[in-house]
Amino acid sequence: NLSHFLNRLEQICLRSAIYLGYTIRVKQSQIGSFRQTFGVSNKPENRLIGLAEVSLEPTNGHVPYVIPIPFSAKKVLFFGAEFRPYISNLLIDERERRQGLATILMDQCEKQAENWGFGCVYLHANIDHRPSLRLYEKRGYEVV
């Protein structure tokens, strides 16, 4: 069945992208920059099933670069810009959704923003993805 094959392929690609992106981001988080990545694993297999990232990004309305840029370079590239915590890459394995994992990861990102001295964060969302919009609305996020 072609549909089953494409779904399986999508799952494999998602897992690979999560792993690669997570590895890069964890290494950058260890540098002590204004970037923190949080992950969730399932207990029996110790398999990564979700992640989210919070980083300081310029509030210019654009989605940050795909490749993470160190904060020191962002200050030069966006000289004079205002920076705020930005939540990105909130991903939960399709098989593990609806268990509160996104809420846990959002809590961690928001707490990190507070630790950096900020009282609010921002994010971009796909307006066609109703489950994530419901999560953000439930948490008090507003469309700007």
Side-chain angles (χ1 to χ4, degrees), residues 112-133:
Q112 183 62 56
E114 287 176 20
N115 291 342
W116 288 336
F118 291 88
C120 65
V121 299
Y122 78 105
L123 53 81
H124 288 98
N126 178 348
I127 61 170
D128 295 324
H129 193 257
R130 293 297 311 154
S132 56
L133 293 179

Side-chain angles (χ1 to χ4, degrees), residues 2-72:
L2 181 60
S3 177
H4 177 71
F5 171 75
L6 292 175
N7 284 337
R8 182 72 180 131
L9 181 61
E10 181 181 34
Q11 289 175 358
I12 291 169
C13 290
L14 176 63
R15 257 189 241 110
S16 298
I18 288 172
Y19 181 76
L20 179 60
Y22 183 71
T23 302
I24 292 169
R25 286 168 167 77
V26 165
K27 286 181 180 178
Q28 281 199 354
S29 294
Q30 294 171 348
I31 296 172
S33 64
F34 287 102
R35 172 182 310 285
Q36 186 66 50
T37 303
F38 300 98
V40 177
S41 64
N42 66 350
K43 295 210 183 233
E45 302 167 27
N46 200 28
R47 179 176 52 88
L48 181 65
I49 58 173
L51 67 90
E53 176 181 358
V54 62
S55 58
L56 287 187
E57 299 294 340
T59 56
N60 58 9
H62 297 287
V63 175
Y65 296 107
V66 173
I67 298 172
I69 298 173
F71 187 66
S72 57

